[in-house]
């Protein structure tokens, strides 16, 4: 869910799903990008700035 551009629209649904996401009952597919892949990650949901080269 795009919480930046659509926060008011999706906030109620996100809050409903948050407990399931936090507990691991609901998982979402994702890809990880390090800082060295910033160009590839641009537009993705999360950029992990704690890892480089992965």
């Amino acid at each position: 869910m795009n919480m930046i551009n659509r926060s008011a629209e999706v906030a109620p649904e996100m809050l409903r799903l948050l407990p399931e996401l936090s507990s691991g009952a609901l998982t979402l597919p994702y890809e990880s990008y390090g800082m060295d892949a910033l160009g590839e990650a641009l537009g993705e949901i999360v950029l992990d700035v704690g890892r480089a080269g992965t």
Side-chain angles (χ1 to χ4, degrees):
M1 294 184 198
N2 185 336
M3 294 299 291
I4 294 171
N5 294 329
R6 300 175 54 201
S7 60
E9 181 182 341
V10 299
E13 189 65 13
M14 189 63 196
L15 290 173
R16 185 184 71 78
L17 294 173
L18 195 55
E20 293 177 52
L21 286 167
S22 297
S23 72
L26 176 64
T27 59
L28 301 173
Y30 66 91
E31 293 182 43
S32 294
Y33 298 90
M35 285 301 292
D36 57 334
L38 184 58
E40 293 176 55
L42 195 59
E44 299 295 324
I45 294 175
V46 175
L47 175 64
D48 183 349
V49 297
R51 298 185 336 198
T54 57

